[in-house]
Amino acid sequence: MAARPRFDPELRAGLAVVGGVFPPTITPELIPFMRRSYASPPLEESLAGRSVVSEDVTVEGHGGTPITVSVLRDPRRSGPRPGVLYAHSGGMVFGDRFSGLDMVFDWVERLGLVVVTPEYRLAPEHPDPVPREDCYAALVWMAQQAEQLGVRPDRLVVGGASAGGGLAAGLALAARDRGGPALVGQLLDCPMLDDRGLTPSTRAFDGVGVWDRTSNETGWRALLGDAVGGPDVPPLAAPARASDLRGLPPAFLSVGEAEIFRDEAVAYASGLWAAGVDAELHVWPGGFHAFDIFAPHTALARSLVAVRTAWLERLLED
């Protein structure tokens, strides 16, 4: 096993609690357990005390199959607002459209954003391209319905965390290649970008932290089947494979130093810079995967939240 950095002391103290609901090693047999343990709490509980309302809408997903999207907004705001299509985390195999969305609720309240979060279908029951194309269909719907949703069509962003970050990167590529909705930014938190598992950071975490090497193999194989790691995986599914990153919207990338996605996030940011795309990259010392979701009270998580919010504010200002 490759050498790995130490966890931030404050984060390390929280890992024992995280492990109760999110074991470091997730095999295919654990997917049913993860779908129960990582399910979001009742929405009323999450939104208690917040100025955020949610409306469920049925839209056509990939292949015309109906999927549910939730539209989150602050009822105190009026007039068209910037919009974010947000894809949830869960390794492509678990989670729901409200998983890990506390930070998104903050965007709605603090920045007045309108957020659309799709209930994209999960692997392995629904392998590639279903999860991404469900999200893309929701993005196109959001752009087409911008006036009715109170969304500014010139202020559309895609974003997500972990699997959702990888999906968001794929959406940005798809929108560029298909002449789809014009995006002004892509927010990629600890993104799941590369199915090949070849980087040093991918090989450095076995049985420790959150989302280790085996978990990553579980997620990618569920999504791609026997194609995983081979020559025929499309860049829209694994954006690290994209050879042309020109013409993509500005990106925000954030990743922990002590997690498997560190090296692929750094490489993707480097590729964006080489292609002339604005990219802001943060590598958090001692940070495990998705530490801002699992340990939002820590100093490192608060720092991440601050720089991410500041990026959004700069990106979306007039």
Side-chain angles (χ1 to χ4, degrees), residues 27-310:
T27 60
E29 293 73 25
L30 278 180
I31 290 175
F33 166 77
M34 292 305 302
R35 288 182 178 178
R36 296 190 300 273
S37 69
Y38 197 60
S40 56
L43 185 61
E44 297 75 16
E45 182 179 316
S46 299
L47 296 183
R50 288 185 177 272
S51 182
V52 178
V53 296
S54 174
E55 177 187 7
D56 288 351
V57 182
T58 300
V59 305
E60 287 192 356
H62 178 57
T65 299
I67 64 169
T68 300
V69 304
S70 289
V71 182
L72 306 170
R73 69 176 77 249
D74 183 344
R76 299 171 302 183
R77 308 276 185 165
S78 61
R81 306 295 305 173
V84 177
L85 187 290
Y86 190 84
H88 69 79
S89 54
M92 305 289 182
V93 292
F94 54 85
D96 58 60
R97 65 189 185 280
F98 300 118
S99 297
L101 255 60
D102 279 352
M103 62 177 175
V104 172
F105 299 149
D106 287 343
W107 300 343
V108 175
E109 279 190 307
R110 290 187 53 192
L111 307 181
L113 306 187
V114 175
V115 175
V116 171
T117 175
E119 192 72 52
Y120 64 83
R121 287 169 285 174
L122 301 172
E125 296 92 334
H126 304 285
D128 182 69
V130 177
R132 181 190 64 258
E133 294 302 329
D134 278 352
C135 292
Y136 190 79
L139 174 65
V140 170
W141 172 83
M142 184 180 185
Q144 292 174 340
Q145 301 297 316
E147 183 175 352
Q148 291 85 345
L149 294 172
V151 170
R152 287 182 57 173
D154 63 339
R155 289 291 188 278
L156 280 178
V157 177
V158 291
S162 192
L167 289 170
L171 294 179
L173 289 166
R176 179 200 64 178
D177 295 348
R178 301 172 184 174
L183 302 174
V184 297
Q186 50 180 326
L187 191 154
L188 314 178
D189 273 327
C190 50
M192 183 177 175
L193 298 167
D194 196 338
D195 63 297
R196 293 165 292 191
L198 299 175
T199 66
S201 63
T202 303
R203 296 192 299 269
F205 296 91
D206 271 326
V208 293
V210 174
W211 197 253
D212 70 356
R213 180 182 57 82
T214 298
S215 305
N216 204 39
E217 291 173 355
T218 296
W220 279 115
R221 181 161 291 279
L223 183 72
L224 300 174
D226 291 340
V228 66
D232 299 324
V233 174
L236 297 188
R241 290 173 175 261
S243 58
D244 182 3
L245 299 179
R246 294 173 296 177
L248 290 172
F252 176 94
L253 297 100
S254 176
V255 71
E257 176 194 30
E259 70 157 291
I260 64 172
F261 292 154
R262 180 196 64 211
D263 295 344
E264 58 200 71
V266 171
Y268 202 69
S270 298
L272 291 168
W273 290 321
V277 176
D278 292 339
E280 179 173 325
L281 169 68
H282 296 267
V283 180
W284 298 97
F288 57 70
H289 182 62
F291 63 89
D292 57 316
I293 293 176
F294 293 108
H297 60 286
T298 59
L300 209 63
R302 293 198 301 272
S303 297
L304 192 167
V305 169
V307 299
R308 184 171 55 207
T309 302

